[in-house]
Amino acid sequence: MKSLGFQRFLSELASTGGEAPTGETPAAELPAVRRVDAAPALEGSWALEMAGDQIVLAGAEGGPVACSLDTLARAKGWDRTALAGHDLKTALVALRRAGLAATPRAAFDTLLAGYLLNPESGNRLEDLARERLSRELPLPPSGKRGKTAEPEAPEAGVGRAAARAMAARDLVGPLRAALKEQGLEKLLTDIELPLLPILVEMELEGIALDKGVLAGISAEIGKRLLDLETRI
């Protein structure tokens, strides 16, 4: 049996050109992205991902498109767009801080859906794509053997963002079906997603706190703790 196993290893070694298999996953290819300078019409559903100052959108049909913030601000129908993405709150906060006034409707968030299905998992988009779509997403460059990674070219960053937007778009169906099967779909659509715009505004505007009330609560809790200590 050992001899047969060794012969099989030699056969695999020969097929790889004399190098031992490393077990590493081949790098995923970056999709082609069409850049638009004229304000696009954004009727319907789009998945969003950001790459620096570029916004990448993947619609139901055609390939992904990339545009600047100024171009997106002039887009027709942006405020009526049904938006999908991974961690939409972070993206929408970033867009608002960059000067984009309108906030589209959050139609689906793969991060929230993944959390509802498996709260114990980190629910990274890369993991969801691998588990639900059998798809590997391109990763940013990383340093090897203690060396600092080379800076990523802007085009590569846009390509990675496009792959993520397409994955978020394609995950909507499988994740929605899984939520429905477990009776969790309404928790997402009726509670989590409607709460997103409120959380965006809270993060942008902050909340007001009454320091006097908080000081009173702190004093009361301290008094109760002291009372418990004397009893113990």
Side-chain angles (χ1 to χ4, degrees), residues 36-119:
V36 292
D37 296 320
L42 296 177
E43 298 293 339
S45 301
W46 293 81
L48 175 142
E49 187 73 21
M50 298 183 66
D53 61 352
Q54 293 291 302
I55 294 90
V56 181
L57 298 164
E61 299 179 357
V65 298
C67 64
S68 66
L69 182 70
D70 291 338
T71 300
L72 185 62
R74 293 182 280 108
K76 297 179 180 178
W78 169 246
D79 57 338
R80 300 186 301 276
T81 300
L83 207 60
H86 192 77
D87 191 9
L88 276 179
K89 180 177 75 71
T90 298
L92 292 176
V93 167
L95 289 175
R96 288 285 300 277
R97 283 178 173 162
L100 197 65
T103 300
R105 179 172 66 88
F108 201 91
D109 191 318
T110 56
L111 177 63
L112 291 176
Y115 175 79
L116 292 176
L117 291 168
N118 186 3

Side-chain angles (χ1 to χ4, degrees), residues 145-158:
R145 297 183 180 179
K147 295 182 179 180
T148 303
E150 292 292 331
E152 185 175 38
E155 289 299 324
V158 170

Side-chain angles (χ1 to χ4, degrees), residues 203-225:
E203 188 160 338
L204 290 169
E205 301 294 335
I207 57 176
L209 297 176
D210 190 321
K211 293 183 179 180
V213 173
L214 290 177
I217 294 173
S218 178
E220 178 64 24
I221 292 176
K223 182 180 178 181
R224 292 184 183 181
L225 287 174

Side-chain angles (χ1 to χ4, degrees), residues 100-178:
L100 197 65
T103 300
R105 179 172 66 88
F108 201 91
D109 191 318
T110 56
L111 177 63
L112 291 176
Y115 175 79
L116 292 176
L117 291 168
N118 186 3
E120 302 300 323
S121 173
N123 291 302
R124 298 188 315 150
L125 183 60
E126 292 83 0
D127 297 331
L128 291 172
R130 185 180 301 113
E131 295 165 4
R132 303 279 177 173
L133 303 173
S134 298
R135 181 185 305 176
E136 294 292 336
L137 295 184
L139 299 176
S142 58
K144 294 184 178 180
R145 297 183 180 179
K147 295 182 179 180
T148 303
E150 292 292 331
E152 185 175 38
E155 289 299 324
V158 170
R160 281 198 310 105
R164 291 177 62 84
M166 294 166 68
R169 175 198 66 191
D170 297 341
L171 279 165
V172 172
L175 289 176
R176 192 187 298 278

